[in-house]
Amino acid sequence: ELAKEKEKGEQALIDNDIHIDKADLKQLDREIEAVHDIMVTASTSINFEEVISKEQIKKIFYSFKSFLNPDYVFFARTNKDNRPIGFTFALPNYNEVIKKMNGKTNIFSLFKFAIYKKRITGLRAMLQYIVPEYQHKGISKALLVFLTYFFR
């Protein structure tokens, strides 16, 4: 089933002349700019979302920096001019670890956290945006397929 979804995602890339890149955390400011541009373009009166500022996005990304893994942040970009047209951002499902800690934050539970965070088996997709001209064309599926393959 996953192979079939991967094939559909790859076909969406070909059909729309785009490619998918992992986020480059060494160029975090460039990636934050791309996230903001995509959110501004993708947010309309239809979805009733107010786009946060670049400064707010920067603050969020830097606060998550220790949790950010470039394998869980992907950008869809056009082949023609490398313009970002979508992104997805996920985190390992830390709820799996928190359950093992029984909600406690003592030294023993922190030790459990260090051990069990390496055994996380799931992801939580936190954000996904696609600019309107590329919506309903399989791009979101392609991004999720990439997430799935890099998580395994």
Side-chain angles (χ1 to χ4, degrees):
E1 185 68 30
L2 189 57
K4 192 177 190 180
E5 295 302 318
K6 182 179 182 220
E7 189 176 304
K8 287 180 185 177
E10 289 172 345
Q11 190 60 49
L13 300 180
I14 294 166
D15 292 347
N16 294 287
D17 197 28
I18 64 166
H19 63 278
I20 294 179
D21 294 327
K22 279 196 263 184
D24 184 352
L25 298 184
K26 292 178 181 161
Q27 296 190 31
L28 195 55
D29 288 337
R30 181 194 77 166
E31 304 297 38
I32 289 168
E33 179 83 26
V35 166
H36 186 262
D37 291 348
I38 292 165
M39 289 177 78
V40 165
T41 306
S43 295
T44 65
S45 60
I46 295 170
N47 63 8
F48 303 108
E49 290 188 32
E50 192 173 312
V51 178
I52 60 177
S53 70
K54 287 180 198 172
E55 292 74 29
Q56 290 170 312
I57 294 171
K58 190 178 221 175
K59 191 181 286 187
I60 292 166
F61 266 73
Y62 278 100
S63 68
F64 275 95
K65 194 170 183 185
S66 60
F67 295 101
L68 279 178
N69 180 330
D71 287 345
Y72 309 144
V73 183
F74 287 95
F75 287 91
R77 301 178 193 271
T78 59
N79 287 331
K80 181 180 176 184
D81 57 5
N82 210 36
R83 178 175 63 102
I85 54 105
F87 75 93
T88 190
F89 162 61
L91 290 172
N93 185 7
Y94 285 103
N95 291 337
E96 295 174 25
V97 179
I98 293 168
K99 283 171 80 174
K100 302 279 187 194
M101 295 168 57
N102 296 324
K104 298 177 183 168
T105 56
N106 58 35
I107 194 75
F108 184 65
S109 63
L110 294 176
F111 180 69
K112 281 184 176 181
F113 180 85
I115 291 171
Y116 286 111
K117 78 176 186 176
K118 293 178 171 75
R119 299 180 189 168
I120 293 174
T121 60
L123 282 177
R124 294 185 68 96
M126 307 304 280
L127 283 175
Q128 183 163 0
Y129 278 79
I130 308 291
V131 299
E133 67 190 271
Y134 286 93
Q135 291 174 1
H136 310 293
K137 295 185 176 184
I139 308 305
S140 57
K141 178 179 289 218
L143 285 165
L144 291 174
V145 166
F146 269 72
L147 264 177
T148 304
Y149 269 87
F150 275 94
F151 182 68
R152 301 194 303 145

